[in-house]
Amino acid sequence: MAETEDMGNEWSRIENAIVTSFRHLRDRYLRSSRRLLGEKTPLEVETEPTEATPLQILPVEVHLYIMALLSPWDLCRLGCVNRYWNAMVRDPLLWRYFLLRDLPHWNSVDHLSLPHAALLGKPLTDSTEHDYMTAYLRSSPESRKHRKWSHPVYGSVTSFFFSLVPQAEPRFAMFGPGLEQLDTSLVTKMMNSPGLLPLASLPQHQVDGIGSGISFLFNNEYKFNILTLYSTTWKERECARIEENEVVNKLFVQQGAHVAQGDAESAQGQQPTYSVIPQVQRACRLVDGFIYMANAEARRRHEREQERLQIQAMIDPALGPSSRPLLVLCCVSQPDVHRIPCVYVSHQLQLGQLDRPWLAHDTDAQSLGGFLQGIGWILREVGRL
């Protein structure tokens, strides 16, 4: 209850700050307009309005209410009406308000659109101006729909000849706590949802002692393979899930885990590093990309720093090209479970520091919501769509 009241007070402070800013902008615009009219000839004055328009003299609280109902594109069009609305629309506080309001509801963010964490935590008293408008337009999913994929002009020709050459299906390594901690198994739903994701083939032979993965069809046409990497045995995972305990992840080896007693004090405070076990290293060299299953359920405690280090170990450039994409599925068990928005998960995992294409997408295991959109993205990134 106290947290809800604090959030309500914060929104009230932001709205009051915007209203105050709008008043200053309107007063400055009206004074400027009167001064400019005083410098014009009588004939020019007759063609210029000497007073504010009826819409402009409405309370600024109404202006804010109207703007809050408009899409980003409509706001940009409103800014083209005249100098007054251009100044209103460009108010940094207004776009900060929109960014904080809408960001928790965005279901995806990628390496080109993640808003900087510093923009989100600035106090209202901070006098430094930031371009929140650009941050919003770059980050919002609606704006990213208009981003064009960069294909060469000869792409259609090469794709035709490319289609004539037999290709191995793209293979993705899937790992992460979301595979094991959720009440609903996403992998089980994948294998039992032929209407959404038909099975193309089941594992028939072993690859590097791990398995050959499972092949699916995307849009009933594009074949791809997912190699699922669990951290431990099914029995251990199930016990940990029921008791909500952490299990020792057997995919990774912590470097420097065995130190002499005399070195224990010097080792304290140092950031641990991880490497993947040899079997997984061989598998990582074969895959075309990675899918990380992050547990995004707000009710659980998450070890994001440890997760971040394990992601870095899995995508280590020593194990393959650094251009291979990473899809982060911010997964909850069911659509109605309170979730951590994907933008916040991205900051917690410090995805913005990665040197490869990545996408974080909200997903729920029950309906596979968001999963197919993520698969479509990673297939495009590896050139199969």
Side-chain angles (χ1 to χ4, degrees):
M1 181 67 70
E3 183 179 352
T4 303
E5 291 178 357
D6 291 342
M7 183 63 67
N9 293 335
E10 179 65 17
W11 282 119
S12 296
R13 286 193 292 270
I14 295 176
E15 290 174 355
N16 290 335
I18 295 173
V19 168
T20 302
S21 177
F22 277 7
R23 288 198 182 101
H24 291 161
L25 284 172
R26 182 169 64 180
D27 293 344
R28 190 162 61 246
Y29 171 80
L30 293 177
R31 286 196 300 269
S32 175
S33 298
R34 294 189 184 102
R35 185 176 65 253
L36 290 174
L37 286 174
E39 298 172 357
K40 293 179 179 294
T41 65
L43 182 60
E44 291 174 323
V45 171
E46 290 180 3
T47 62
E48 295 280 354
T50 58
E51 299 293 338
T53 64
L55 186 58
Q56 292 171 3
I57 63 175
L58 287 173
V60 289
E61 291 85 353
V62 177
H63 290 174
L64 175 59
Y65 178 76
I66 293 173
M67 290 181 174
L69 298 176
L70 300 178
S71 70
W73 303 109
D74 290 334
L75 280 172
C76 293
R77 295 187 186 98
L78 178 62
C80 297
V81 172
N82 57 31
R83 290 188 300 112
Y84 174 80
W85 288 110
N86 185 269
M88 288 290 193
V89 164
R90 290 184 175 276
D91 186 352
L93 275 177
L94 176 69
W95 288 95
R96 180 185 176 184
Y97 171 80
F98 290 150
L99 188 64
L100 296 177
R101 180 197 66 182
D102 297 344
L103 180 143
H105 305 290
W106 292 341
N107 60 9
S108 67
V109 66
D110 64 11
H111 60 290
L112 299 175
S113 63
L114 180 67
H116 199 282
L119 293 178
L120 309 180
K122 292 289 184 182
L124 286 175
T125 54
D126 186 353
S127 59
T128 306
E129 287 194 4
H130 298 278
D131 194 352
Y132 289 98
M133 179 179 179
T134 298
Y136 185 102
L137 295 177
R138 184 181 66 246
S139 303
S140 70
E142 182 179 355
S143 301
R144 286 191 282 119
K145 290 178 182 177
H146 298 271
R147 186 194 303 161
K148 295 183 179 179
W149 294 93
S150 56
H151 294 295
V153 293
Y154 52 84
S156 59
V157 178
T158 56
S159 62
F160 170 72
F161 289 107
F162 194 65
S163 65
L164 301 179
V165 181
Q167 305 171 62
E169 60 191 12
R171 176 178 289 158
F172 307 113
M174 185 162 67
F175 65 107
L179 286 174
E180 306 164 8
Q181 296 175 353
L182 302 179
D183 294 333
T184 302
S185 169
L186 182 131
V187 175
T188 301
K189 294 297 295 186
M190 288 165 51
M191 296 183 63
N192 293 278
S193 302
L196 292 175
L197 199 64
L199 285 174
S201 62
L202 293 172
Q204 297 184 5
H205 62 279
Q206 291 291 307
V207 176
D208 298 309
I210 293 177
S212 61
I214 302 173
S215 296
F216 300 91
L217 285 177
F218 179 77
N219 286 347
N220 288 314
E221 180 178 1
Y222 303 98
K223 193 175 181 181
F224 67 96
N225 184 282
I226 290 184
L227 184 64
T228 306
L229 304 176
Y230 290 107
S231 67
T232 185
T233 65
W234 179 87
K235 185 175 181 180
E236 292 171 322
R237 295 196 307 268
E238 189 64 14
C239 290
R241 184 189 65 81
I242 295 173
E243 299 174 3
E244 295 191 356
N245 293 329
E246 298 293 331
V247 295
V248 177
N249 195 324
K250 297 180 180 179
L251 296 176
F252 301 93
V253 177
Q254 184 174 340
Q255 302 300 307
H258 304 287
V259 297
Q261 187 173 359
D263 297 331
E265 292 185 4
S266 61
Q268 288 181 356
Q270 295 181 0
Q271 188 179 66
T273 57
Y274 293 88
S275 64
V276 295
I277 60 177
Q279 302 95 308
V280 176
Q281 288 184 19
R282 291 192 291 270
C284 287
R285 292 188 174 98
L286 296 175
V287 300
D288 302 286
F290 302 88
I291 301 175
Y292 184 74
M293 282 281 294
N295 185 339
E297 294 187 347
R299 67 182 179 88
R300 290 187 63 100
R301 183 178 61 87
H302 305 285
E303 300 291 342
R304 297 300 192 202
E305 179 61 19
Q306 184 182 66
E307 293 181 47
R308 180 183 71 85
L309 295 172
Q310 291 175 352
I311 290 174
Q312 290 181 345
M314 188 72 73
I315 65 175
D316 188 345
L319 302 178
S322 59
S323 59
R324 292 182 295 178
L326 170 68
L327 170 63
V328 178
L329 298 175
C330 305
C331 199
V332 297
S333 298
Q334 299 167 345
D336 57 350
V337 172
H338 183 45
R339 68 162 59 247
I340 303 172
C342 62
V343 177
Y344 297 148
V345 174
S346 301
H347 283 305
Q348 293 167 0
L349 295 175
Q350 298 184 29
L351 298 180
Q353 297 182 8
L354 299 182
D355 59 349
R356 67 183 63 228
W358 60 266
L359 172 77
H361 206 296
D362 286 342
T363 310
D364 75 86
Q366 182 66 39
S367 68
L368 295 182
F371 177 76
L372 293 181
Q373 291 86 340
I375 292 297
W377 174 85
I378 200 169
L379 287 176
R380 284 192 295 269
E381 286 293 325
V382 299
R384 299 304 173 90
L385 277 187

